[in-house]
Amino acid sequence: MQQHDIHQFLKGYFQSTECSILEEGTGYLTVQLTIDQDKELMNRPFYWHYLEKVGGEPNPASLTFITNEQHAPQDIKGEKVHFGSPRLHQIFQATRRFGSAIRLYEANVARSTHNTALHPWLNMNVMVSYQCDHKRDYLLSLGIHLITGNIIEDFHELLKGQALTPKIPDFTFTLSPIIKPKSGFNRLHQYIEKHIYEDDHSWAEEAKERWKQDLDLLNHFYEDIEEKPSTYDIEKKALQDQYEPRISVNVVNGGIFYLQEGTVRTLLQRKMA
């Protein structure tokens, strides 16, 4: 999982849980937590218990995350977040409880004499893991237009900087999907399988070669022993666990995004420029 993926994931999570983005810059993100998210992430139950008991004024915390230490301003103070860090793992767990499925609407809608149509997009963010004696993870963010069936990658990256809201804005209406979300999910699943199939899997062949070399060494060590002891089977199984190539795909979160017709087209053109 790359650092820019982490940045976009954090931003999407906090927007979907109605936390305010106080400040965002290259390599960092500052958010104002809601009460629910403070309770979820800050681990201060005694504070909230006391506050609720005396009827005090709630004061949820704000957090600054440094998502790219090399590019963030030197004077920025905050938590360094990278793949495998305890805070990111905590937010992954919270995502499954709070933000596993969201619904957001584009807020930057210019008022006109006619109400603006918002198009439904199904988004799914998945963590793809390639694992043997080494491991590589990356986040795949996909969006499928539930009217045309068009699929785009880097969906969250494309929406960077777009204002989104959990409530449908005034002077807008949503178009009914032609493709049902379940069918859209299945199409994204097929897309992910094709994406993985067409990827470079030389890493797996190299792992099998290292596995064979170590297995040959193990067999050579026990070659003069006619009846192999239990340690042989244990060591052989350990080599399999270490080297056998495995691919796993885990859904991190997803949701329905209602966007103006020209928004994604404009964003795609901007990305290609």
Side-chain angles (χ1 to χ4, degrees), residues 18 25 42 73 92 115 129 143 149 151 171 173 178 234 266:
E18 301 187 31
M42 298 308 295
F92 279 158
N115 287 347
S129 298
I151 295 175
F171 310 107
F173 66 96
I178 295 175
I234 293 173
T266 301

Side-chain angles (χ1 to χ4, degrees), residues 7 25-29 64-77 80:
H7 186 102
T26 303
Y28 73 96
L29 184 72
T64 295
F65 299 100
I66 299 175
T67 56
N68 192 321
E69 189 176 4
Q70 294 181 344
H71 294 92
Q74 293 184 351
D75 59 343
I76 288 290
K77 305 297 182 184
K80 299 174 185 177

Side-chain angles (χ1 to χ4, degrees), residues 120-138:
W121 286 79
L122 173 66
N123 164 240
M124 184 163 66
N125 301 312
V126 299
M127 185 67 65
V128 181
S129 298
Y130 293 165
Q131 187 169 357
C132 49
D133 54 327
H134 304 294
K135 187 177 182 182
R136 179 169 75 91
D137 302 284
Y138 65 91

